[in-house]
């Protein structure tokens, strides 16, 4: 509370800062600059507090930028990052976006690895309780404005990695998805069907995939697996 003016006060949480200038009758957030309330479309003022997993630029339109977040999902910009709007509509696992891939053949089509569980592989994200948190792959056909589930037959586990094989063809799009506690799945038909490709990965009871990467030249696929935690014990 302002010691010289009791009508002015600030309130903070772990991620927000708000202010009142009328003794608490109304409050205003101070984390972003609102450019358009209808969107809402926001501009950074440098005070955002959250975890960003990645930043991507559309190969089809260099002005379309994207931020993958944990806890607050996904944001898109149509002006090269000057202003932003939330873009999680239709995704049932909108808490966290861990990876996205752009369809090399269809403009404005993109895929996202999503989860209700954030902070993988941080301490709070790799406990036994994480296995109860759902996730999967979503697809957007409008540049990230809206999303749908790509395939409901995939295990409902946090999706933390996603790769599209650069040697894919339009009629045979090859994709790999990494699942926390579910290993690696492969599709050769754009996500219509999936085959488990986890043999040889991890240890017994630990298929906690948290990253996937494919070398674009050799085609080798690399998989990073994090540890598991029960209480304060790690494996």
């Amino acid at each position: 509370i302002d010691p010289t003016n009791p009508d002015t006060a600030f309130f903070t949480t772990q991620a927000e800062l708000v202010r009142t200038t009328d003794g608490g009758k109304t409050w205003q957030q101070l984390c972003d600059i609102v450019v358009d309330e209808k969107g809402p479309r926001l501009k950074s003022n440098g005070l955002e507090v959250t975890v960003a997993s990645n930043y991507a630029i559309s190969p089809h339109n260099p002005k379309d930028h994207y931020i993958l977040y944990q806890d607050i999902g996904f944001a898109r910009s149509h002006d090269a990052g000057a202003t932003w709007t939330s873009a999680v509509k239709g995704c049932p696992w909108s808490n966290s976006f861990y990876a996205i891939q752009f369809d090399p053949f269809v403009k404005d089509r993109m895929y996202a690895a999503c989860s209700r569980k954030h902070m993988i592989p941080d301490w709070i994200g790799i406990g036994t309780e994480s296995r109860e948190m759902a996730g999967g792959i979503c697809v957007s056909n409008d540049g990230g404005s809206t999303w749908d589930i790509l395939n409901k037959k995939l295990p409902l586990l946090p999706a933390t990695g996603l790769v599209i094989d650069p040697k894919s063809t339009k009629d045979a799009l090859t994709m790999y998805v990494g699942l926390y506690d579910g290993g690696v799945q492969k599709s050769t038909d754009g996500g219509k069907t999936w085959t488990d490709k986890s043999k040889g990965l991890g240890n017994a009871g630990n298929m906690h995939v948290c990253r996937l990467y494919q070398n674009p030249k050799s085609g080798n696929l690399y998989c990073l697996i994090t540890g598991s935690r029960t209480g304060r014990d790690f494996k």
Side-chain angles (χ1 to χ4, degrees), residues 85-112:
T85 186
S86 176
V88 299
K89 185 178 181 180
C91 176
W93 315 294
S94 59
N95 179 280
S96 297
F97 278 54
Y98 283 97
I100 63 169
Q101 290 289 335
F102 299 94
D103 193 298
F105 307 104
V106 182
K107 184 181 179 181
D108 291 332
R109 180 177 293 172
M110 52 200 299
Y111 308 89

Side-chain angles (χ1 to χ4, degrees), residues 13 26 87 112 121 125 183 231:
T13 67
T26 60

Side-chain angles (χ1 to χ4, degrees), residues 40-82:
R41 190 159 53 94
L42 308 172
K43 183 178 181 180
S44 173
N45 66 358
L47 195 59
E48 296 88 349
V49 182
T50 188
V51 179
S53 300
N54 213 329
Y55 190 103
I57 300 174
S58 170
H60 306 296
N61 186 349
K63 288 189 177 182
D64 287 346
H65 292 203
Y66 303 90
I67 300 179
L68 289 73
Y69 283 113
Q70 298 180 34
D71 251 353
I72 62 171
F74 190 65
R76 62 180 174 84
S77 169
H78 290 319
D79 49 19

Side-chain angles (χ1 to χ4, degrees), residues 201-215:
L201 288 176
N203 301 308
N206 182 6
M207 286 292 178
H208 299 166
V209 176
C210 62
R211 295 292 184 272
L212 281 181
Y213 173 77
Q214 187 174 29
N215 188 307

Side-chain angles (χ1 to χ4, degrees), residues 1-164:
I1 299 175
D2 188 337
T4 64
N5 181 3
D7 284 337
T8 299
F10 297 84
F11 176 81
T12 184
T13 67
Q14 289 184 331
E16 298 171 308
L17 177 65
V18 294
R19 176 184 62 190
T20 180
T21 56
D22 54 14
K25 294 179 181 178
T26 60
W27 294 85
Q28 301 81 40
Q29 64 87 18
L30 300 179
C31 297
D32 297 284
I33 300 171
V34 179
V35 178
D36 180 5
E37 293 185 355
K38 294 181 179 180
R41 190 159 53 94
L42 308 172
K43 183 178 181 180
S44 173
N45 66 358
L47 195 59
E48 296 88 349
V49 182
T50 188
V51 179
S53 300
N54 213 329
Y55 190 103
I57 300 174
S58 170
H60 306 296
N61 186 349
K63 288 189 177 182
D64 287 346
H65 292 203
Y66 303 90
I67 300 179
L68 289 73
Y69 283 113
Q70 298 180 34
D71 251 353
I72 62 171
F74 190 65
R76 62 180 174 84
S77 169
H78 290 319
D79 49 19
T83 60
W84 296 88
T85 186
S86 176
V88 299
K89 185 178 181 180
C91 176
W93 315 294
S94 59
N95 179 280
S96 297
F97 278 54
Y98 283 97
I100 63 169
Q101 290 289 335
F102 299 94
D103 193 298
F105 307 104
V106 182
K107 184 181 179 181
D108 291 332
R109 180 177 293 172
M110 52 200 299
Y111 308 89
C114 311
S115 171
R116 290 179 186 168
K117 183 65 179 179
H118 62 280
M119 301 300 287
I120 298 173
D122 190 80
W123 167 274
I124 65 173
I126 61 172
T128 53
E129 67 277 3
S130 302
R131 305 178 188 183
E132 301 174 0
M133 305 302 290
I137 302 298
C138 284
V139 58
S140 172
N141 290 299
D142 53 16
S145 296
T146 59
W147 297 89
D148 293 300
I149 298 175
L150 179 62
N151 190 319
K152 295 183 180 180
K153 294 183 180 180
L154 267 177
L156 290 176
L157 294 168
T160 54
L162 181 62
V163 167
I164 292 180

